[in-house]
């Protein structure tokens, strides 16, 4: 979180939550293991930025977390046909997770708050046949 925002974890979560059109927490056995949301690019836009932060508790429930992630992504795509996410390029596990969810890398080396950290831009989109039926 520091690499992207130069803020504490609590400040980043508050910032993301306030800017999101929808956000949620993943609970496992009564503990929050992850949070996620989507920020619209504009009020009536078709594109949004997905953010998510995971904790160590997700390692205790990988299958459940994967299934919930797929449902949440489908819900986000029902709201915004185009979604994007940025991922610290040092975080290989998160990049694999995004690609397994169907994200396509678009650009590498994007800088956010600091020049020492590079981020990869990923894009999600609805399947084209689903867009035609809406």
């Amino acid at each position: 979180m520091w690499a992207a925002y130069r803020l504490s974890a609590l400040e980043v979560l508050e910032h993301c939550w306030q800017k999101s059109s929808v956000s949620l927490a993943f609970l496992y056995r009564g503990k929050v293991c992850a949070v996620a949301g989507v920020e619209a690019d504009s009020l009536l836009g078709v594109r949004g930025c997905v953010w998510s932060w995971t904790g160590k508790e997700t390692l205790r429930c990988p299958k459940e977390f994967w299934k919930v992630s797929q449902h949440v992504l489908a819900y986000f795509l029902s709201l915004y046909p185009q979604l994007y996410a940025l991922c610290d390029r040092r975080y290989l596990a998160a990049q694999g997770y995004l690609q397994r969810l169907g994200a396509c890398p678009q650009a590498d080396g994007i800088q956010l708050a600091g020049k020492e950290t590079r981020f990869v831009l990923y894009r999600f989109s609805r399947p084209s046949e689903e867009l035609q039926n809406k």
Side-chain angles (χ1 to χ4, degrees):
M1 289 185 197
W2 179 254
Y5 293 93
R6 293 297 193 256
L7 298 170
S8 71
L10 187 57
E11 289 172 311
V12 172
L13 291 173
E14 180 72 21
H15 171 79
C16 290
W17 175 76
Q18 286 180 354
K19 291 187 73 174
S20 295
S21 55
V22 63
S23 59
L24 49 89
F26 298 86
L27 299 175
Y28 181 71
R29 296 188 177 173
K31 293 183 180 181
V32 174
C33 62
V35 292
V38 62
E39 299 175 19
D41 276 359
S42 65
L43 185 59
L44 298 174
V46 297
R47 193 171 76 156
C49 178
V50 175
W51 58 269
S52 65
W53 310 101
T54 59
K56 292 180 181 177
E57 288 296 316
T58 58
L59 299 174
R60 298 178 191 262
C61 55
K63 289 180 184 177
E64 294 87 351
F65 181 68
W66 174 248
K67 288 178 185 177
V68 169
S69 296
Q70 291 174 303
H71 290 292
V72 169
L73 177 61
Y75 173 62
F76 288 171
L77 282 168
S78 76
L79 301 173
Y80 303 97
Q82 299 172 6
L83 296 172
Y84 64 94
L86 291 163
C87 183
D88 184 332
R89 76 178 190 193
R90 298 171 296 178
Y91 195 7
L92 299 179
Q95 289 185 55
Y97 166 77
L98 288 168
Q99 290 179 27
R100 189 171 168 213
L101 278 172
C104 298
Q106 301 298 301
D108 191 7
I110 295 170
Q111 297 174 355
L112 296 178
K115 294 182 179 183
E116 76 286 349
T117 306
R118 307 270 187 210
F119 291 81
V120 179
L121 173 67
Y122 286 92
R123 183 179 57 97
F124 295 95
S125 58
R126 289 184 197 161
S128 58
E129 64 276 358
E130 187 178 322
L131 283 174
Q132 293 172 356
N133 293 331
K134 294 249 176 206

